[in-house]
Amino acid sequence: MNHDLEHTIALLERTPGALDELLRGLPDEWTDRNEGGDSWSPREIVAHLSHAERTDWLPRVRHLLEFGESQPFPPFDRLAQRRQMQGKGISELLVEFAALRAASLDQLRELGLGPSEMERRGMHPALGSVTLGQLLATWATHDLTHLHQIARVMAHQYRDLVGPWSKYLGVLQCNGHSS
Amino acid sequence: MNHDLEHTIALLERTPGALDELLRGLPDEWTDRNEGGDSWSPREIVAHLSHAERTDWLPRVRHLLEFGESQPFPPFDRLAQRRQMQGKGISELLVEFAALRAASLDQLRELGLGPSEMERRGMHPALGSVTLGQLLATWATHDLTHLHQIARVMAHQYRDLVGPWSKYLGVLQCNGHSS
C-alpha cells in the first residue's frame, strides 16, 4: 500500500469530532483519571494532541520541505501539555484541538503536495532519514495511538467494576505500550 | 470506585456518535481492511456491536432481573455479525447501531434501576455468579474494548507506511488481545 495523502487527510479531519463526541460532557471520573502514577488522563491526551499540532506535524512538514536532510527537525517536547492544560477543562481543550487541526489541514492542502513530494526526505533527530510520506502517515497513526490509549485509560477506571468479565475484555489486557 | 449507573450510561450514549464521527465517509481502505486472516475490520466491529445490542446487553439485564441465579444467560454468538453485515456498508451499520443503542438506553432508563439493584445476581454460563452492576460496567467496557480494537486495526493499515516511526507508535506494539 502506497501512502495516499487523501486517505491520511480523511482520518486527520475526523479525529477531533470523534474525540468530541466521545469525551464532551462525560463525568470527570472518565476524563480526568489516569492509569496511576505519572500516566496520562484523556484530558491530558487531548492537550498533547494540541501541542503536537502546534509544534510537531505541520512545522515538520515545512522544515522537511525547506531543509531536506541538511538540518534535523527540532526535538518535540512530549510533556509540554502539562503546562498548557492547566486550568482548562475538557470542553475547552477539545475546541482548541479542533481549531488547531482544521488550521493545520488548511495549510497542508495549500501546500498542494503530490505523489512525487512524498519521497522527499528530511532528518529526524533520533530516527535518521525519513520521507515526507512517512511523516504524514505517522501524523495519522499518532491520532490512532492516542485514541487507542484513551480507550485503554477509560477502561482502566472500570477494571474492578467488571468483576469476572475482566478476562474477556481485551482492552484490560493491554499493557500500556501506547502511553 | 462503586458502579455509578449514570457514569455508565454517559459513556454508552456517546459511543455511537464517536464511531460515526470517526468512520462515516472514510475510504474503504480504513473501514474494510482487517489485521489479516480471520480478524475483524472496523465495519465488522460495528456490526458486532449491533448484534451485542440486540441479543446480549439489555436482554441479559432482563434475564438477570427475572431469573436471578436460577437460570444462566443464553450464550452469546460472537460471530453472528458475519451474516448480519452482508451487503451493508459502514454508513448503514452506524445508523443501525445508533438506533439500537438509543432504544436499549430508553429501556434501561425505564427499568428505573437504583443502587440496591446493582447487587442483584445472575448466572453467566461460563463465569458463574455475577452482579447486575458488573454486567452494566461490562457493557460500557465492551464499547471501549472495541474502540481500542478499531484504533489498532486502522493503525495496522499504516504499519509499513510510517517507516522508522513505528517503534514510537504504541498502537503498533499492541498484540491483538482485544480481537
Side-chain angles (χ1 to χ4, degrees):
Chain A
M1 183 164 163
N2 289 320
H3 179 250
D4 182 322
L5 184 57
E6 290 308 312
H7 292 175
T8 292
I9 290 176
L11 178 62
L12 290 172
E13 66 189 4
R14 281 165 176 76
T15 305
L19 293 179
D20 198 280
E21 286 284 329
L22 181 66
L23 299 174
R24 179 180 299 276
L26 271 185
D28 292 348
E29 284 81 357
W30 284 122
T31 59
D32 274 31
R33 294 188 184 181
N34 63 15
E35 296 172 289
D38 204 34
S39 65
W40 295 6
S41 66
R43 190 165 74 88
E44 176 158 3
I45 295 165
V46 174
H48 166 78
L49 289 168
S50 284
H51 176 63
E53 211 65 20
R54 279 193 198 93
T55 68
D56 195 349
W57 304 116
L58 202 75
R60 285 186 168 185
V61 170
R62 293 192 188 283
H63 187 101
L64 181 151
L65 293 172
E66 184 170 350
F67 300 108
E69 293 173 288
S70 70
Q71 193 175 311
F73 304 137
F76 174 63
D77 179 355
R78 281 181 68 259
L79 296 174
Q81 67 272 2
R82 297 254 157 128
R83 298 185 302 277
Q84 296 167 356
M85 69 191 274
Q86 283 175 18
K88 293 182 185 172
I90 188 78
S91 298
E92 187 178 352
L93 292 167
L94 288 164
V95 168
E96 193 171 85
F97 174 49
L100 288 163
R101 174 59 56 86
S104 298
L105 293 180
D106 282 349
Q107 293 172 59
L108 178 63
R109 290 192 183 93
E110 279 168 18
L111 292 174
L113 301 170
S116 65
E117 274 94 10
M118 295 301 129
E119 298 307 316
R120 289 182 63 175
R121 288 191 168 271
M123 188 59 67
H124 187 282
L127 298 172
S129 180
V130 292
T131 68
L132 179 57
Q134 288 167 346
L135 172 60
L136 293 165
T138 299
W139 188 358
T141 312
H142 180 263
D143 278 11
L144 294 169
T145 267
H146 288 296
L147 180 61
H148 184 258
Q149 181 186 18
I150 286 171
R152 191 190 71 230
V153 174
M154 292 173 71
H156 176 74
Q157 312 313 321
Y158 267 31
R159 184 177 295 279
D160 295 333
L161 298 181
V162 301
W165 266 289
S166 62
K167 67 178 176 181
Y168 288 176
L169 292 161
V171 67
L172 296 178
Q173 322 310 325
C174 190
N175 63 5
H177 40 68
S178 50
S179 65
Chain B
M1 184 163 163
N2 288 320
H3 179 252
D4 182 322
L5 184 57
E6 289 309 312
H7 292 175
T8 292
I9 290 176
L11 178 62
L12 290 172
E13 65 189 4
R14 280 166 176 77
T15 305
L19 293 179
D20 198 280
E21 285 284 330
L22 181 66
L23 299 173
R24 178 180 299 276
L26 272 186
D28 292 348
E29 284 81 357
W30 284 122
T31 59
D32 274 32
R33 294 188 183 180
N34 64 15
E35 296 172 289
D38 203 34
S39 64
W40 296 6
S41 66
R43 191 166 74 88
E44 176 158 4
I45 296 166
V46 174
H48 166 77
L49 288 169
S50 284
H51 176 63
E53 211 65 20
R54 280 194 197 90
T55 69
D56 194 349
W57 303 114
L58 202 76
R60 285 187 168 185
V61 170
R62 293 192 188 284
H63 187 100
L64 181 151
L65 293 172
E66 185 172 350
F67 299 110
E69 293 174 288
S70 69
Q71 194 175 310
F73 304 136
F76 175 63
D77 179 357
R78 282 182 66 261
L79 295 174
Q81 68 271 2
R82 296 256 156 126
R83 299 187 299 278
Q84 296 168 356
M85 68 191 273
Q86 283 174 18
K88 293 182 185 171
I90 188 76
S91 298
E92 187 178 352
L93 291 167
L94 288 164
V95 168
E96 193 170 84
F97 174 50
L100 288 163
R101 173 58 56 86
S104 298
L105 293 180
D106 283 348
Q107 293 172 59
L108 178 63
R109 290 192 185 94
E110 279 168 18
L111 290 174
L113 300 170
S116 65
E117 273 95 7
M118 294 302 128
E119 298 307 316
R120 289 182 62 173
R121 287 190 169 272
M123 188 59 67
H124 187 282
L127 299 172
S129 180
V130 291
T131 68
L132 180 57
Q134 288 167 346
L135 172 59
L136 292 165
T138 299
W139 188 358
T141 312
H142 181 262
D143 278 12
L144 294 170
T145 268
H146 288 295
L147 180 61
H148 184 257
Q149 182 186 18
I150 285 172
R152 190 189 70 228
V153 174
M154 292 173 71
H156 177 73
Q157 311 314 320
Y158 267 29
R159 184 176 294 279
D160 295 334
L161 298 181
V162 300
W165 266 288
S166 62
K167 67 178 176 182
Y168 288 176
L169 292 161
V171 67
L172 296 178
Q173 321 310 327
C174 190
N175 64 7
H177 40 69
S178 50
S179 66

